[in-house]
Amino acid sequence: MKLTDQLGNQLILNSTPKRIVSLVPSQTELLFDLGLEDAVVGITKFCVHPFHFKSTKTIVGGTKQINIEKIKALQPDIILCNKEENTKEIVEACQEICDVHVSDIITINDCLELISQYGQLFNKRTNAQKIIDKINFNLKDFQNYIKDKPTLKTAYFIWRNPWMVAGNNTFINYLLKLNKFENIYSNLQRYPEVDITKIRKEGDPEIILLSNEPYPFKEEHAFELGRHSHHAKTIFVDGEFFSWYGSRLIKAFSYFKLLRERL
């Protein structure tokens, strides 16, 4: 089988991979939903879905730091990485062990392509198509729901000390646009540091979204931001629905509806 991953790397596989190491939490969840639980042998400490994996699979480190010897010992047929989650050095080290597939996700179409590729790679085409169909159905339903809703100027915070937000060229920004949240920091790339004392001058958001991952924001942080914004409404959001792709998207759109109802 020949397959080109989302970074343009070509994989040539003689047989369906039977031992998988996943270094990306949302992709680990996707593997489970594709029916590949028994094939997954290694995951990261951030792979929290499904919950029981942390006690049944080997933890090989995080997404930015891995134990390469642990991975070697698992004798994987393939290692699954992501351009944003894993460093170039990690990918190169993994390529010394076995085949590596790297995803690169900015849009929902990128997600659907990844699901389709996993369907091919792991001989789960029917399961993959079912997930794709569910996402497309729920997406269309959500687009009908959101089309008449007002656009709201928004800032999406992911970190504090330093304060960091989601900017342009990210999956989060793509989903913000889908939700008709106009990202005031979309003129900045990726995940920039920002000065919250300038938040009014730099966009004056109506809504501030505080993600519960990777930083555990609390009420005092909302209060701190509120002092600098112009009466922006601050809402704590489930970051998994804004940053996890794969099968997580099936559930995301009903969450987005509930979020909009709270505004």
Side-chain angles (χ1 to χ4, degrees):
M1 179 202 318
K2 284 186 181 180
L3 188 141
T4 303
D5 73 14
Q6 292 180 308
L7 281 193
N9 303 311
Q10 192 172 78
L11 284 75
I12 301 173
L13 303 167
N14 295 323
S15 59
T16 302
K18 301 295 184 195
R19 298 178 63 80
I20 307 166
V21 168
S22 172
L23 300 183
V24 188
S26 52
Q27 293 173 195
T28 300
E29 181 181 48
L30 172 58
L31 293 172
F32 174 75
D33 288 335
L34 283 169
L36 289 160
E37 176 170 2
D38 292 342
V40 177
V41 293
I43 60 173
T44 76
K45 62 183 177 182
F46 301 114
C47 295
V48 294
H49 299 295
F51 180 76
H52 67 276
F53 266 24
K54 70 176 186 178
S55 57
T56 61
K57 306 300 178 184
T58 301
I59 308 294
V60 298
T63 53
K64 306 295 184 200
Q65 290 181 310
I66 57 170
N67 185 324
I68 203 75
E69 294 306 318
K70 266 192 177 182
I71 294 177
K72 281 180 186 173
L74 290 171
Q75 298 182 306
D77 299 318
I78 195 164
I79 301 169
L80 306 178
C81 296
N82 172 264
K83 181 185 175 184
E84 182 173 288
E85 293 272 4
N86 313 122
T87 64
K88 188 168 180 279
E89 290 72 28
I90 283 177
V91 171
E92 287 171 351
C94 289
Q95 285 170 333
E96 298 290 319
I97 301 172
C98 64
D99 287 304
V100 176
H101 181 287
V102 186
S103 63
D104 184 18
I105 309 290
I106 301 293
T107 69
I108 287 178
N109 280 341
D110 295 335
C111 301
L112 300 180
E113 179 186 55
L114 177 67
I115 297 165
S116 178
Q117 286 196 357
Y118 279 12
Q120 288 177 260
L121 263 176
F122 304 115
N123 198 24
K124 293 287 183 180
R125 289 174 181 82
T126 302
N127 294 13
Q129 193 57 51
K130 283 179 183 175
I131 293 172
I132 289 168
D133 290 345
K134 285 179 185 175
I135 291 171
N136 279 326
F137 180 85
N138 293 347
L139 170 61
K140 190 172 183 183
D141 173 67
F142 181 72
Q143 287 171 324
N144 285 330
Y145 165 84
I146 202 75
K147 66 175 190 264
D148 296 323
K149 299 288 189 285
T151 298
L152 300 168
K153 290 171 72 177
T154 306
Y156 186 105
F157 281 83
I158 62 162
W159 200 259
R160 179 182 175 274
N161 208 9
W163 291 98
M164 294 173 71
V165 296
N168 201 7
N169 204 31
T170 61
F171 187 53
I172 293 172
N173 187 63
Y174 182 89
L175 289 183
L176 289 174
K177 279 195 277 190
L178 192 68
N179 278 273
K180 295 183 80 170
F181 293 140
E182 182 189 333
N183 186 358
I184 68 165
Y185 294 113
S186 63
N187 60 314
L188 304 174
Q189 294 297 310
R190 308 297 292 161
Y191 303 102
E193 293 179 21
V194 296
D195 181 350
I196 63 167
T197 65
K198 297 178 180 175
I199 196 168
R200 291 191 200 181
K201 192 167 70 176
E202 292 179 344
D204 198 16
E206 300 161 80
I207 304 291
I208 292 174
L209 301 179
L210 297 182
S211 177
N212 66 346
E213 64 159 37
Y215 187 88
F217 286 105
K218 296 183 171 60
E219 288 292 344
E220 65 256 33
H221 307 133
F223 179 75
E224 190 177 354
L225 282 162
R227 281 178 28 236
H228 295 289
S229 68
H230 195 254
H231 309 300
K233 184 171 185 177
T234 303
I235 298 176
F236 295 91
V237 295
D238 188 332
E240 289 178 2
F241 288 117
F242 279 96
S243 60
W244 285 40
Y245 40 89
S247 45
R248 172 64 39 153
L249 276 174
I250 293 171
K251 303 172 187 172
F253 302 110
S254 57
Y255 175 79
F256 294 152
K257 283 185 185 179
L258 290 173
L259 177 60
R260 179 58 77 146
E261 298 303 321
R262 289 166 58 193
L263 301 179

